[in-house]
């Protein structure tokens, strides 16, 4: 029962390790190394969208039935840079840079919509109950309209219509700059390490 027979037995069924097998193993290790970067980017996108929406909702003003919104989309650019720094820490490749840029663009849109939903809910709260006969007496929508999730989920088309009417070209420009800042910062940070 020599060693030569055992080696041959193992190679017959499983084969000898090839150069390509080692490359696949290294690719798996690389994917495991960058998995926390993907998770961190998603987490930062959720937190950033929430904070961006809160900032937009806090700086906006409701006067009767009109809503005045201050332009805060320039705050998305440093947020994009922050996401780029976190992503670049893992020295991931261009796929993760683009993933981060896409996440930041989605987070900016979600933050804008959340901020507008906050302002629409504030407008509904200031308006108070509708006049007699305007809604059915049991109308739970009177209270529900004062909650931002009502505008985000139940009446998303109304929120989108409000958002499109209130945004200018600077919102789109700063959203694109935030995505570019994410990709460029991630590339710069990843190469410096």
């Amino acid at each position: 029962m020599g060693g030569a027979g055992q080696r041959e037995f193992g190679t017959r069924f499983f084969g000898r390790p090839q150069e390509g097998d080692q490359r696949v193993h290294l690719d798996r290790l690389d994917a495991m190394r960058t998995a926390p970067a993907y998770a961190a980017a998603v987490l930062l996108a959720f937190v950033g969208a929430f904070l961006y929406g809160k900032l937009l909702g806090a700086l906006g003003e409701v006067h009767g039935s009109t809503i005045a919104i201050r332009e805060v989309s320039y705050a998305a650019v440093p947020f994009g840079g922050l996401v780029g720094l976190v992503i670049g820490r893992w020295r991931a490749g261009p796929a993760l840079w683009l993933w981060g840029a896409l996440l930041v663009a989605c987070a900016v849109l979600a933050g804008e919509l959340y901020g507008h939903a906050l302002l629409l809910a504030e407008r509904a709260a200031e308006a108070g109950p509708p006049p007699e006969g305007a809604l059915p007496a049991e109308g739970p929508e009177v209270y529900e309209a004062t909650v931002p999730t009502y505008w985000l989920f139940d009446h998303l088309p109304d929120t989108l219509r409000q958002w499109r009417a209130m945004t200018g070209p600077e919102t789109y420009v700063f959203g694109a700059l935030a995505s570019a800042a994410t990709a460029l910062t991630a590339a710069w940070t990843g190469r410096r390490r």
Side-chain angles (χ1 to χ4, degrees):
M1 311 250 178
Q6 287 178 346
R7 256 189 269 136
E8 210 168 287
F9 175 76
T11 58
R12 177 187 256 174
F13 291 106
F14 302 112
R16 296 180 193 258
Q18 301 293 322
E19 188 71 28
D21 292 342
Q22 291 173 351
R23 180 67 189 150
V24 168
H25 182 66
L26 289 176
D27 286 344
R28 286 183 185 155
L29 286 176
D30 198 32
M32 288 174 28
R33 184 176 54 87
T34 59
Y38 283 99
V42 169
L43 180 67
L44 273 175
F46 277 118
V47 170
F50 176 75
L51 293 176
Y52 184 75
K54 282 291 195 182
L55 177 69
L56 184 66
L59 293 178
E61 297 175 5
V62 176
H63 302 288
S65 64
T66 61
I67 296 176
I69 296 178
R70 291 188 184 168
E71 186 58 47
V72 295
S73 57
Y74 55 84
V77 178
F79 166 66
L82 176 66
V83 173
L85 281 173
V86 170
I87 288 173
R89 180 190 181 287
W90 274 276
R91 285 194 270 164
L96 188 58
W97 306 341
L98 295 176
W99 169 253
L102 179 66
L103 275 177
V104 165
C106 291
V108 168
L109 175 64
E112 287 271 340
L113 290 177
Y114 181 60
H116 281 271
L118 286 171
L119 292 171
L120 287 169
E122 184 180 341
R123 182 177 72 182
E126 279 188 9
E132 196 65 36
L135 284 177
E138 70 273 0
E141 288 200 18
V142 173
Y143 168 74
E144 289 175 359
T146 62
V147 180
T149 55
Y150 172 82
W151 295 102
L152 281 177
F153 299 117
D154 295 341
H155 292 277
L156 184 61
D158 296 333
T159 308
L160 282 169
R161 192 175 314 112
Q162 163 80 16
W163 176 71
R164 273 190 240 121
M166 301 296 283
T167 57
E170 62 275 353
T171 303
Y172 304 111
V173 169
F174 284 118
L177 285 175
S179 293
T182 302
L184 293 174
T185 307
W188 180 74
T189 307
R191 291 194 177 133
R192 281 193 60 133
R193 296 197 75 209

